[in-house]
Amino acid sequence: MIPIKPVGVKTAPTRTIDAAAGVAAQYLQPGALNLAALPPLSLYIHWPWCVRKCPYCDFNSHEAKGEVPEQQYLDALRADLEMALPLIWGRKIYTVFIGGGTPSLMSAAGLDRLMSDLRTLLPLDGAAEITMEANPGTFEAEKFRSYRASGINRLSIGIQSFNSHHLQALGRIHDAGEARRAVEIAQANFDNFNLDLMYALPGQSLAEARADLETALSYQPPHLSLYHLTMEPNTVFAKYPPQLPDDDTSADMQDLIAQMTAEAGYGHYEVSAYAKPGHRARHNLNYWQFGDYLGIGAGAHSKLSFPHRVLRQARYKQPKSYMEQVAAGTPVQEEREIGRDEMGFEFMLNALRLQEGFAPNLYGERTGLALNGIEKQLNAAEAKGLLYRDHSVIRPTELGQRFLNDLQEMFLL
């Protein structure tokens, strides 16, 4: 990528935008693909700091040691966004997601400044879904009222469990009482919110998993995300694995979740996502439908489509390095085009997570390629009973949902 060097961090001068526009022009040249239209565009903003790194977490999060350089980071976010604008000229933003880390560590004034910058620089859709992640232990009622007033209209709350013993085993900074208080504050200020819960926790019984879900459902959240605890590489739990429930107990927990959420009126629309009617996570749906997203902030990833190519980017991960690279005009550490031979797998890796699958024409719309390019893999998956397809839909079967990794790998060329 051509280096783009602004003068300072707070504003990107005209020559910086001109240089960025020159880079963008390269991506508009003829290429290997032919997209008839560009997909919906979302914005992801990464806040990299948290109070304490959880032992299961493999996200780009860093313990805040001393005072967080909030203003410097917000300056960098704005400059990063300004430099990326030529890549998305004329495109509306339909969803925004502020993730982390723990974005709810941001001051009310800092969040208000960030939202003001977004409105100044971007054409936000009038009905844009704007989500912010928040963790119990950082909830202050007044601050969350301010977040709502600044334009956040959806919260995603990292509860993980309502059991203090399990929260301690997960290394969370909150206890059961703080978890409940966080949900109550969210209810008082937001019409739309999500609760994150984990199951198959160290030492967790089926009865304890049921109690967690019963507590969550008692608040009638519009959306639930229910994740099986996994031992991710390069985490404390990977190095020192705790004793987890056996496979049979984990399967019983999954069956329990399916039954209880259905009885409570939640639709299971993605591997880990359950929603009341009209409350599916639009930002995440855009990912799963192979839409576009611009990611700014430390370690943020982007997927951006142009008429003849699809581009992936990754920002520098360490907050200090990221801010230094933004000041130098080079926040992007990695950048590449998705090759034609990768496109089928990339699309199916996301779209097959959806319980209802996708319309066949979506494949061509989002990849710029003909569906018959993966005909052999589709036939093989169908023959194994992992996939159902007809003229209107392609979706994983119940068996395909159970063995989703195997199904997805069939499209890896």
Side-chain angles (χ1 to χ4, degrees), residues 293-296 300-304 311-315:
Y293 48 94
L294 171 66
I296 62 170
H301 288 247
S302 302
K303 173 201 167 260
L304 298 171
L311 181 72
R312 285 204 180 278
Q313 293 180 332
R315 265 65 177 164

Side-chain angles (χ1 to χ4, degrees), residues 4-9 11-13 15-16 79 83 325-330:
I4 306 162
K5 297 189 179 297
V7 178
V9 173
T11 59
R15 71 169 180 268
T16 300
M83 285 184 276
Q325 293 296 328
V326 170
T330 54

Side-chain angles (χ1 to χ4, degrees), residues 166 169 200-204 229 231 237 240-246:
H166 292 141
L201 306 178
Q204 187 180 42
L229 176 63
M231 302 295 101
F237 272 3
Y240 305 104
Q243 186 67 42
L244 301 179
D246 60 32

